[in-house]
Amino acid sequence: MNKFMKAAFNEAKKGLEEGGIPIGSVLVYKGKIIGKGRNRRVQKGSAILHSEMDALENAGRLSGTIYRESVLYTTLSPCSMCSGAILLYKIPKVIIGENKNFTGEEELLRSKGVIVEILHDPSSIEIMLNFIKKNPDLWNEDICI
């Protein structure tokens, strides 16, 4: 696992420890993490605070140039909402830890020119699989089933 995916995975672990859903993300610009996030819907009582959204929020207001030169690392395939934010900010590359437990809008991202790389990371797969088994109702709420 590279250092940026490891940082995203550490965010996922923090989220789980806080009683949330174990998904983490980091936004990287020129080899440096500029935003970290984790799914904090449970912790914050939020309808939209997925890990990608949290990482963007924590990066703060940035110029479009920075987004267009950044890479988003996320432990789980991004949903429609998060993919919309990726497209809105024209983030050119998304590196995904896993898409076995959930496949988001990867094809939409690719169709819009985003480079999508899937790592099939065993740690990311395992943490989500265990969470989903233990918390199916919470998981279904998060993905609106």
Side-chain angles (χ1 to χ4, degrees):
M1 184 182 305
N2 76 32
K3 68 180 180 179
F4 299 125
M5 187 54 68
K6 186 174 176 77
F9 185 75
N10 286 337
E11 287 296 310
K13 288 193 307 188
K14 285 180 191 174
L16 184 61
E17 290 165 4
E18 295 169 347
I21 299 166
I23 306 167
S25 297
V26 296
L27 185 64
V28 176
Y29 175 68
K30 293 188 176 182
K32 181 181 177 197
I33 294 172
I34 59 171
K36 293 180 184 182
R38 56 190 171 275
N39 185 310
R40 296 196 300 160
R41 290 185 65 246
V42 172
Q43 299 92 311
K44 296 285 187 173
S46 171
I48 62 168
L49 206 49
H50 285 189
S51 70
E52 299 89 342
M53 305 299 271
D54 195 34
L56 289 167
E57 177 72 16
N58 289 326
R61 287 181 59 193
L62 303 169
S63 74
T65 303
I66 292 174
Y67 293 116
R68 289 189 298 273
E69 296 177 7
S70 294
V71 178
L72 181 70
Y73 289 77
T74 184
T75 59
L76 187 67
S77 185
C79 72
S80 300
M81 175 179 65
C82 297
S83 294
I86 291 163
L87 294 174
L88 175 69
Y89 291 106
K90 297 178 175 59
I91 297 169
K93 186 172 185 177
V94 178
I95 300 178
I96 299 168
E98 71 107 342
N99 66 353
K100 180 179 177 183
N101 289 296
F102 176 78
T103 302
E105 297 295 336
E106 296 166 17
E107 290 309 313
L108 172 64
L109 292 170
R110 286 185 182 106
S111 78
K112 300 291 186 178
V114 177
I115 298 166
V116 176
E117 183 178 331
I118 302 157
L119 301 179
H120 305 289
D121 173 58
S123 299
S124 296
I125 294 168
E126 182 180 10
I127 197 170
M128 278 309 302
L129 184 61
N130 290 338
F131 177 82
I132 292 167
K133 284 181 181 177
K134 292 178 183 172
N135 305 280
D137 292 338
L138 183 54
W139 172 241
N140 288 339
E141 174 191 320
D142 196 63
I143 58 172
C144 293
I145 292 180

